[in-house]
Amino acid sequence: MDARCYACHGQYGNGTVGPRLRENRFVGLPDYVVGQILVGRGVMPSFAESLDDQQIAAVATYIRTSWGNNFGAVSASQVADIRQKVKLNPPPGQPHLPPDVKQPPQAPVAPLKPMPPGQAQPPASPH
């Protein structure tokens, strides 16, 4: 959390640049949470290529069970299903999960390679 999500969503899930995750009813929708992690939005990068299904399930479960949220766990198989739906149903004219997503210069950077579970990396330096 401290390495990536904290900067935008806040240590206590109250949000800053990113949306509030604390007591957010949309967090109750596993498709929404997993979809945001996979696709990204605004300054949030896509983590589809840098996190595997188990890692995304762990992040989604953390979000759905922290800060007063009690929405339950997300499984790796749910993530795999959602990942497939996102690939099959992109918005018209814009494919989801492209390999060469262009992020705004100030956007957080997703890791270049998958990380083992529990291994946080600090955000990339803007220099």
Side-chain angles (χ1 to χ4, degrees), residues 49-63:
E49 299 299 321
S50 58
L51 299 177
D52 65 26
D53 292 345
Q54 186 61 47
Q55 292 169 316
I56 291 174
V59 172
T61 296
Y62 180 81
I63 291 167

Side-chain angles (χ1 to χ4, degrees), residues 27-126:
V27 172
L29 305 168
D31 288 9
Y32 176 79
V33 175
V34 172
Q36 293 301 306
I37 296 167
L38 287 170
V39 176
R41 183 167 135 191
V43 297
M44 181 173 163
S46 165
F47 289 92
E49 299 299 321
S50 58
L51 299 177
D52 65 26
D53 292 345
Q54 186 61 47
Q55 292 169 316
I56 291 174
V59 172
T61 296
Y62 180 81
I63 291 167
R64 290 168 44 84
T65 60
S66 298
W67 311 297
N69 297 327
N70 190 21
F71 297 114
V74 174
S75 69
S77 63
Q78 283 177 288
V79 174
D81 290 343
I82 295 166
R83 186 186 295 263
Q84 189 60 30
K85 288 177 188 174
V86 168
K87 286 181 180 179
L88 291 175
N89 299 304
Q94 294 185 336
H96 273 169
L97 306 182
D100 58 348
V101 174
K102 301 290 187 225
Q103 296 289 340
Q106 73 278 14
V109 178
L112 297 176
K113 63 180 183 169
M115 299 183 323
Q119 299 297 315
Q121 293 180 341
S125 173

